[in-house]
Amino acid sequence: MTDLSDLPPARPWRSSALWPAAALLASLALWGYAVTHTDVSGLGDFGLVGALHPAFWAGLALLTAGFWLTLRGPYRHPAWAPAYVVGLLVMERATQAVVYPTPLYAWAWKHDAVIDHLLTAGRLQSADVVGDMAVYDQWPGFFAAQAALVKLLGVDSAAQFMAWWPLVSSLMLLLPLLLMYRTFTEDRRLVWLAVWIFSVANWVGQDYFSPQSVAFALHLGILAIVLRRYAGGTGGTDRPAGGPRQAVWTVLLTLLVVAVVISHQLTPGMLVVSLAVLFFARHYRDKVPLITTAVIFLAWCLTAALPFLSATMPDMLRSIGDIGGNVATGYGATPTGTGAVTTSWVARLLSASVLLLAAVGALRQPVLRHRALPLLLLALAPLPMFAASSYGSEMIFRVLMFMLPGAAFFAAAALLPQARTLTAVEAQGTRPEPRRFVWLPLLALLAGTLAFVPSYSGKDRISYFPPAEVDLVRQVIDKAPDGSLVVAADRNYPLAFADYWRVDHYWFLDDAREHVDRIVREPAATLARDMASVEAPGRAYVLFTRGQFADSEMNGLLDKGQLDRIERSVAASPLFERVAGNSAGSAYALKNGTETPEPKEADR
């Protein structure tokens, strides 16, 4: 029977250690030089891609070549592949934490605000107290854990460590991925190449400081346990059911499922679908994993999460079966401009290439396809979610992410030569492979690795908030009395949800297009009318920051000319007074006791 096993090292460890170590250290040295010589003060349409020092690209290329040659060349000590993968994760996920002085991504700042709320309130609260933000109190697992971590570390807020979360969450994925892949092959080359491909193809950005990042790692951990302890090990033979050990695994499985269910809305549904596909395809016989997950998920939906689900159920039901609508991006999610369009296409081509390679790998490796069929099924299992919901125009990205673990495994198989038996290798010796089997896959791997950078960091002009922008927003929030209102074009700025339990937030680009057009025509008067309902001692503020402008321009909402006109109108209006400002933007307050003008007849 054909087996996928490692070829023995051609040379002893000591004689084969020098050049892999040199290549790895040189790659990291180039990276270190690059990140200390990268200026992010003037990001353009290509985000971090246009700002990175050329040494970064040289280091990443050298790292990729070194990794490939440790797999395919004559120096195959098992320590080098994991060392290179960790080096890749550092270069991929730690670069932004080093070059940017503040954490990226408005949603990460939002999650910091939720943690701050838990620490301030000391308990979960309902919608009648915190409005729409109560949804986070209905899935509090991640936020409660992070609140405990903030207290344990003795820091002021999660903002002091969340910039490093992409690296931490990516490292968390290594163990479940290794357990999953080692279930179906003992070939370390295939395992580590699959992990590498997964890492460079996982560009969708859900590794940031979020419940999804932890829930995804737990999701993979649960699947790894099911595949190894309920479905059998290498070769597909079933393990005996029952016994004390199985009870221990069931308890662990239950704890992991509970952690997923109380932390994230979408991941438990994906997990139920994945387990159901494996069960009904008869890749494990024990009903415990599927029933346990389904019961815990349903119980949470009918209790703690019921208020949110009751309010959103009509929209959710209407979206079922609307595949075109669920896949399509909505207003405000269409890339605009050369940089945004180019990086979006690079990301799409990267994902398409990995899926195509996965199909090739499944076709050309029949033994692997038979043995690792559960991974192929797991790659296909998320596809029905397209018919379930749009998930805020993000379902396509989440489906790609959940498909990736299985797809990366077969994509790696496409880049490796045909599997040979261990007996044949021992009998024939280590034969050199044709050059095309070494260099063509290396070029493909190099292209995918380099493509990760624009796919992942190409929109950093939107995601990065300089310290001046953080300071500006903090000034407004700190001086705002309870019951105040902060108005902005959109929510793409730091601290956009800060103190949401006492300060309301309103983003006018979330409104119907008709109202947005009215603001563009009569900015100051229309905004003043929108803000006039705030009662004393609260005040109404309107905030203009570079993050809002970047997001609006690059996502096709309003162009720079329209946004500048709105800001100039407010600045010149006697209805407003300037209360804060610096190089990143400005803030204005509606004057107390101001009578707002009646709308024109055309705007009624």
Side-chain angles (χ1 to χ4, degrees), residues 376-425:
L376 192 58
L377 294 175
L378 289 176
L380 299 174
L383 290 175
M385 300 302 289
F386 280 134
S389 171
S390 68
Y391 202 67
S393 299
E394 289 190 359
M395 183 58 76
I396 187 171
F397 303 114
R398 305 304 174 95
V399 167
L400 282 172
M401 183 179 68
F402 282 95
M403 292 177 68
L404 192 54
F409 184 81
F410 285 95
L415 297 181
L416 290 174
Q418 189 67 30
R420 293 168 292 179
T421 63
L422 182 59
T423 303
V425 172

Side-chain angles (χ1 to χ4, degrees), residues 224-246:
I225 291 174
V226 170
L227 291 172
R228 292 183 69 87
R229 297 298 169 182
Y230 292 85
T234 301
T237 56
D238 289 331
R239 298 181 188 273
R245 289 187 178 181
Q246 197 74 345

Side-chain angles (χ1 to χ4, degrees), residues 520-533:
V520 173
R521 288 195 303 269
E522 280 194 303
T526 306
L527 288 173
R529 286 193 296 270
D530 292 342
M531 301 161 63
S533 60

Side-chain angles (χ1 to χ4, degrees), residues 9-150:
R11 299 185 183 182
W13 159 248
R14 291 182 181 178
S15 63
S16 65
L18 184 58
W19 83 259
L24 178 59
L25 292 175
S27 301
L28 294 176
L30 287 169
W31 172 77
Y33 180 84
V35 296
T36 55
H37 290 78
T38 294
D39 181 11
V40 297
S41 60
L43 293 180
D45 285 349
F46 286 88
L48 187 60
V49 178
L52 279 170
H53 191 278
F56 177 89
W57 303 100
L60 190 57
L62 178 60
L63 185 81
T64 306
F67 170 75
W68 178 252
L69 293 178
T70 60
L71 294 182
R72 305 302 309 128
Y75 310 104
R76 285 185 294 271
H77 191 278
W80 290 121
Y84 272 86
V85 167
V86 172
L88 173 71
L89 293 180
V90 169
M91 293 182 72
E92 281 186 344
R93 262 71 184 191
T95 297
Q96 292 169 313
V98 175
V99 301
Y100 295 123
T102 58
L104 291 180
Y105 203 35
W107 285 88
W109 288 91
K110 179 180 182 179
H111 295 155
D112 177 47
V114 176
I115 295 165
D116 190 28
H117 163 250
L118 286 180
L119 292 171
T120 302
R123 58 188 175 87
L124 304 177
Q125 293 182 320
S126 59
D128 58 345
V129 179
V130 292
D132 292 342
M133 295 295 288
V135 62
Y136 295 97
D137 288 38
Q138 293 164 27
W139 278 275
F142 171 82
F143 304 107
Q146 296 300 327
L149 183 60
V150 167

Side-chain angles (χ1 to χ4, degrees), residues 465-550:
F465 310 114
E469 189 167 358
V470 178
D471 292 342
L472 173 65
V473 181
R474 174 54 67 191
Q475 288 181 50
V476 174
I477 297 298
D478 286 348
K479 70 174 57 174
D482 290 357
S484 294
L485 171 69
V486 177
V487 177
D490 68 13
R491 65 194 72 192
N492 190 64
Y493 56 93
L495 303 165
F497 291 84
D499 291 11
Y500 62 82
W501 54 95
R502 69 174 192 88
V503 176
D504 290 330
H505 299 266
Y506 160 57
W507 305 281
F508 60 78
L509 288 179
D510 287 351
D511 288 347
R513 188 71 202 195
E514 179 184 356
H515 185 68
V516 174
D517 291 340
R518 187 178 304 141
I519 292 175
V520 173
R521 288 195 303 269
E522 280 194 303
T526 306
L527 288 173
R529 286 193 296 270
D530 292 342
M531 301 161 63
S533 60
V534 176
E535 297 180 357
R539 297 201 68 185
Y541 304 87
V542 58
L543 182 67
F544 300 96
T545 66
R546 58 151 303 282
Q548 300 172 54
F549 281 39

